[in-house]
């Protein structure tokens, strides 16, 4: 019997992939994934059968991965954490009796956070601004409630051509609950070769530097920037002392 | 000049540590961390100088790590993601001109999610129920707003002897906004050797199985359990198509 590994490789490249994910890819007869992501892990998949498709081929790719896994070991690869806006959900929705294992990876907000300091040190949330499968009204409501709850907020898919104004509108919703000096980080291609980032505040935020390869992190009411580093004061102690 | 790596090793053990984290530990002259966590990565730290302390020695450990890093390469190790309820925040708060690099890891909610399926596929938040450094009233407010916003909710530090009733109270707050059939996962020691988990619903949740080594994940209004697997329907597609 075959096996399907659903693998998140983290931000991209080989540095931040887990040993388990790398091992599962090595074990696999076939590697399935988006062309661009497979290039990021080239050294791991040389001499392997590869099934890759363009950006919009996700469902087809999942079907193919499930079909192949009936009698082969297959690695279905995506960036970030396969379980957070990744491919794990669709595979498990489509799965019948195939043998599937989900292997987690570093999600984009963790990667972006590490680039700028420690913005996610206390209660935090991930929100996608894409409205392809969530009504925009719901997204705005979620952003407002997260701001009211003083969560550190990581925005995925903060911007695309189809909705240029959403990010600015959502930042304005957050302003209703949080001070002008609240730090904001815009991290582009976090922990990839062409990484870049900018730090600003709610007051002087400019959404023109944000694109679809960016993650936007808005601090909570206690977050601050010190020597160019984004810090949210520790809730760490309570945690380490207990877990 | 020395260097301090602040490293999250993920859930524990060697499987889910990143290549970068493992490499940084190998590079280091000295490894600093809580005794129990260092045991989890024993093969990586053999023949290395080790500075380990008991559970409540975090600040002392951070001071020592910073002091040592002035002229040596030091790895400060904790489980999960060093930037999410981890040690990165305190180090950056205490840091003067030491050379510090934050290396992210798989946080506990990602690990727990992968164990039970794909519960975190859409907008999600992490909340710690520990009130050591956050007033309980604030925690409850945050839980209510997250429930109202239909976030998938991951509860860190869900229970400890000092606050046996908090989890039950917070689950009841969530009930005010979410249906009785909403799935809940209780995952203990996610992706560690002695891992165990239970799936239930808001209606039949029993907090007696929860302890301080558990993560509790409450689904959103669209989450469901299928053949013993916890699934939150994809927001994945919108994401993959854009980022």
């Amino acid at each position: 019997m075959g096996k399907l590994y659903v693998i998140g490789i983290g931000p991209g490249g080989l540095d931040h992939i887990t040993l388990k994910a790398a091992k599962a890819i090595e074990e696999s007869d076939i590697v399935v994934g988006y062309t661009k992501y497979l290039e990021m892990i080239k050294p791991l998949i040389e001499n392997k059968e590869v099934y890759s498709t363009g950006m919009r081929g996700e469902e087809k790719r999942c079907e193919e991965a499930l079909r192949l896994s009936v009698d082969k070991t297959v690695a279905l690869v995506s960036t970030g954490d396969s379980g957070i806006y990744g491919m794990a959900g669709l595979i498990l929705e489509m799965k019948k009796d195939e043998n599937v294992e989900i292997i987690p990876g570093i999600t984009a907000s963790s990667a972006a956070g590490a680039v700028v300091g420690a913005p996610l040190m206390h209660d935090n949330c991930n929100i996608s601004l894409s409205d392809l499968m969530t009504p925009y009204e719901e997204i705005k409501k979620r952003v407002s409630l997260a701001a009211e709850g003083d969560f550190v907020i990581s925005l995925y898919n903060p911007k695309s051509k189809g909705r240029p104004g959403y990010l600015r509108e959502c930042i304005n919703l957050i302003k209703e609950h949080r001070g002008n000096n609240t730090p904001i980080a815009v991290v582009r291609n976090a922990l990839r070769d062409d990484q870049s980032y900018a730090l600003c505040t709610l007051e002087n935020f400019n959404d023109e530097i944000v694109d679809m390869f960016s993650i936007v992190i808005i601090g909570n009411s206690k977050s601050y920037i010190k020597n160019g580093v984004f810090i949210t004061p520790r809730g760490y102690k309570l945690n380490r002392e207990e877990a």
Side-chain angles (χ1 to χ4, degrees), chain A residues 217-236:
Chain A
I217 302 178
I218 300 98
N220 70 16
S221 58
K222 297 181 181 58
S223 302
Y224 62 95
I225 291 173
K226 173 185 144 194
N227 306 328
V229 177
F230 187 153
I231 299 174
T232 296
R234 55 187 167 138
Y236 107 98

Side-chain angles (χ1 to χ4, degrees), chain A residues 131-178:
Chain A
D131 60 353
L132 286 185
M133 294 181 72
T134 309
Y136 183 45
E137 289 311 310
E138 238 175 77
I139 296 170
K140 283 193 290 188
K141 182 186 174 195
R142 208 164 268 161
V143 169
S144 287
L145 290 164
E148 186 182 349
D150 204 23
F151 284 94
V152 177
I153 301 171
S154 299
L155 299 177
Y156 284 62
N157 306 311
K159 212 172 177 188
S160 77
K161 293 181 198 65
R163 43 185 174 79
Y166 285 17
L167 177 58
R168 213 175 305 110
E169 284 171 19
C170 289
I171 292 294
N172 288 333
L173 291 173
I174 294 169
K175 268 189 182 159
E176 294 172 12
H177 300 279
R178 223 159 284 183

Side-chain angles (χ1 to χ4, degrees), chain A residues 177-212:
Chain A
H177 300 279
R178 223 159 284 183
N180 281 334
N181 295 329
T182 305
I184 298 182
V186 176
V187 187
R188 188 171 187 279
N189 287 324
L191 299 179
R192 295 180 186 175
D193 298 339
D194 50 352
Q195 161 187 304
S196 64
Y197 71 91
L199 296 175
C200 57
T201 65
L202 266 177
E203 189 168 28
N204 61 29
F205 177 72
N206 175 354
D207 72 339
E208 281 166 22
I209 58 171
V210 180
D211 66 11
M212 64 172 68

Side-chain angles (χ1 to χ4, degrees), chain A residues 10-11 80-81 84-85 105-121 124-127 152-156 185 187 190-191 214-218:
Chain A
D81 184 334
I84 300 180
Y85 307 117
I106 306 284
T107 190
S109 54
S110 283
V115 168
V116 296
L120 308 180
M121 281 302 296
N124 59 88
C125 65
N126 300 318
I127 302 176
V152 177
I153 301 171
S154 299
L155 299 177
Y156 284 62
V187 187
L191 299 179
S214 308
I215 291 283
V216 177
I217 302 178
I218 300 98

